[in-house]
Amino acid sequence: MTTAFFKKSLIAAAVTLASTQTFASAFQLNEHSASGLGRAYSGEAVVADNASVVSRNPAAMTRFDKMALSVAGTYIKPDVDVNGDIYAGPTKLASASESGIAPSAFVPATYFIQPLNDQWAWGVGIFSNYGLSTEYSDNFNAGSIAGNTELLTVNINPNIAYRVNQQFSVGAGLNLVYAEAELNRRAGVLAAVPPLSGVPGIGKDTIVSHMKGDDWGYGWNVGTMYEVNENNRFALTYRSQVDLTFKGDYRGTSSGFKTVGGELPLELPAQAEFAGYHRLNQQFATHYSVSWTDWSAFQELKATSGQCNSADGVGVCLHKPEKFKDSTRYSLGGTWYINPAWEARIGFAYDKTPITQEYRSLSIPDSDRIWYSAGATYHIDKDMSVDFGMAYLDGKKVDVNEKLVENSEALRWKGTSHGNALLASAQFNMKF
C-alpha cells in the first residue's frame, strides 16, 4: 500500500458533494415551498397558486395581477443508517456501522412577484437547489471514506416574464449561486496500517484530510406556459448547469499536514420539467410533473494543488470517477378546493437515483425514493394565506462495496445503507 495510494483514499468520496440528507436524487434539493411539498411538487411549474412558482417557472408570473410575496421554511428530519464491516480480502477486520449519519436541517426560501402591466411581470426568488450534510462519529472505523461533509448553496434568481397572447407566456432569469463546502476525514482503521501506523500521535479520530472552500457560479433559466383555458395549462422549463470551482484550504497527508491552497471544480447539473394542471370541477384538480436532471455532467472529481502529489501526477490531489447517469423524477397529485377558506392536497412521487451500483459509496449511498405527501392551505382573507405540508420519503435499501484505499483492493467496506425522512413545511403568502 503506497503513500500515494493512501493520500488519494483520504479525500476520495470525501469531497464527493453528495448525501442522503438532501432526500432528492444525489445532492439535489426540492424543498422550495410548503404548498409544493404537500403535493410532492407535482405540477409545481404550472399550478402558480403563490409566488413560489418563481423557483420553477418564470413564465407563470404572468398569471398574477397583484404583487405577491411568499416566505417558506422546510424542516427535514432524516433517518439514515449504514451497516457493514471492513474486510481484508475474505477476512473481517472490524465492524463499521453507524446510525443517524444525516443531521436534521432547515431550508428557507423567499419569493416576490410584481406585475408591470397586462403583459410583463418580474420577480425574484432566493432559495437552494443543492445542499447536503452528513456526520459520522470521530471514531468510525471507515472514517477515511466517510466523515463530516457539508455543502451549502444559495441561489439568487431574478426573472422576467412576457405574455405573448392569451394562451402563451415565456419567461427567463439569471441564477447567481453562492456555494461553500467543508469536509473532514479521519484515519479510522487505517491508523493501524502503514504508513500511518508508524506516525506518532495518529489515532482513529485523527483528521487526515480537511478541505474548505467557496465560490460564486452563474447560470440561466427559461420557462414557457400554455393555457388552454383557465382550468387547463401546461409548462416546460429548463435551468442551466452552474459551474463552480471551490477555492480554499486543504490540509492532510498529501500536504504534509500543512495548510495549502487548492481547488475543486464541481458542476451543479441542468434541470428540466414538464408539468400539467387540470381543474376538473369546482372541487378537484389534478397536477403532475416529469423532471429530468442532467447528472451525466458529473463524471469525475479532480482536486488539485500546486503542493499536492499523488499517483495521478504532481499537483493532483484526487482523481475519482463518479460516472453519474441522468435521472428522472415522476410526481402526481390532487387538490381539493373544500370551500373559500380551505384547500387540501396530496401527492406521490418516484425519484430515481443517478448512481449506479458500481460507484455507490458511503459518502454517496443514494437510492431510489418514494414520496408520500399531504398538505393544506388556509386563506386568511382574499389576499393572505398560509400553507402547510408534510411528506414521508422512503428510500430503498441498497448494497455498498467500497475500497478504503482508492487504488488498492486490500481493504473494503461491505454492507448496506437505508434511509428515510420526514419533512414538514410552513409558508406565508400575501398579495398587495
Side-chain angles (χ1 to χ4, degrees), residues 209-357:
S209 186
H210 166 82
M211 291 187 71
K212 185 176 183 179
D214 62 354
D215 191 28
W216 280 91
Y218 308 93
W220 51 272
N221 61 289
V222 295
T224 62
M225 180 177 64
Y226 183 76
E227 300 175 79
V228 179
N229 51 45
E230 178 61 25
N231 295 321
N232 297 275
R233 51 189 180 270
F234 301 94
L236 183 63
T237 71
Y238 180 83
R239 190 175 299 273
S240 76
Q241 176 176 306
V242 175
D243 295 328
L244 298 166
T245 300
F246 290 103
K247 297 179 180 180
D249 296 330
Y250 171 78
R251 184 178 68 254
T253 55
S254 61
S255 66
F257 289 101
K258 297 179 181 179
T259 300
V260 300
E263 61 181 47
L264 172 70
L266 177 70
E267 298 82 19
L268 302 181
Q271 305 171 16
E273 179 178 355
F274 172 75
Y277 171 89
H278 308 284
R279 187 158 181 170
L280 306 180
N281 52 49
Q282 285 295 108
Q283 282 73 45
F284 182 74
T286 185
H287 25 79
Y288 48 86
S289 290
V290 179
S291 304
W292 165 85
T293 304
D294 184 25
W295 281 115
S296 60
F298 187 47
Q299 290 294 295
E300 65 177 7
L301 283 169
K302 191 173 185 179
T304 59
S305 171
Q307 301 180 61
C308 194
N309 187 18
S310 76
D312 287 302
V314 176
V316 179
C317 299
L318 161 72
H319 182 212
K320 183 177 186 297
E322 297 295 346
K323 306 298 183 183
F324 275 29
K325 61 181 181 179
D326 294 351
S327 67
T328 309
R329 183 180 188 274
Y330 306 90
S331 56
L332 175 66
T335 297
W336 284 264
Y337 300 93
I338 300 171
N339 54 45
W342 284 97
E343 299 170 16
R345 56 184 64 91
I346 61 170
F348 172 85
Y350 179 65
D351 200 358
K352 289 188 64 65
T353 178
I355 298 172
T356 60
Q357 176 65 36

Side-chain angles (χ1 to χ4, degrees), residues 115-230:
L116 300 176
N117 53 42
D118 290 341
Q119 289 184 294
W120 290 93
W122 78 277
V124 62
I126 303 175
F127 55 96
S128 177
N129 285 326
Y130 298 94
L132 70 92
S133 180
T134 52
E135 295 180 0
Y136 286 84
S137 64
D138 293 352
N139 290 309
F140 186 55
N141 279 327
S144 63
I145 57 174
N148 308 111
T149 310
E150 185 172 4
L151 170 68
L152 169 69
T153 70
V154 179
N155 187 355
I156 303 171
N157 181 210
N159 295 272
I160 192 165
Y162 176 69
R163 180 176 288 279
V164 179
N165 54 42
Q166 194 65 28
Q167 281 75 43
F168 188 63
S169 297
V170 296
L174 297 175
N175 295 272
L176 314 176
V177 179
Y178 173 75
E180 60 181 33
E182 181 175 2
L183 67 93
N184 293 285
R185 290 297 179 265
R186 301 176 187 272
V189 296
L190 295 183
V193 177
L196 281 190
S197 59
V199 179
I202 293 290
K204 289 199 299 182
D205 62 346
T206 301
I207 294 178
V208 291
S209 186
H210 166 82
M211 291 187 71
K212 185 176 183 179
D214 62 354
D215 191 28
W216 280 91
Y218 308 93
W220 51 272
N221 61 289
V222 295
T224 62
M225 180 177 64
Y226 183 76
E227 300 175 79
V228 179
N229 51 45
E230 178 61 25

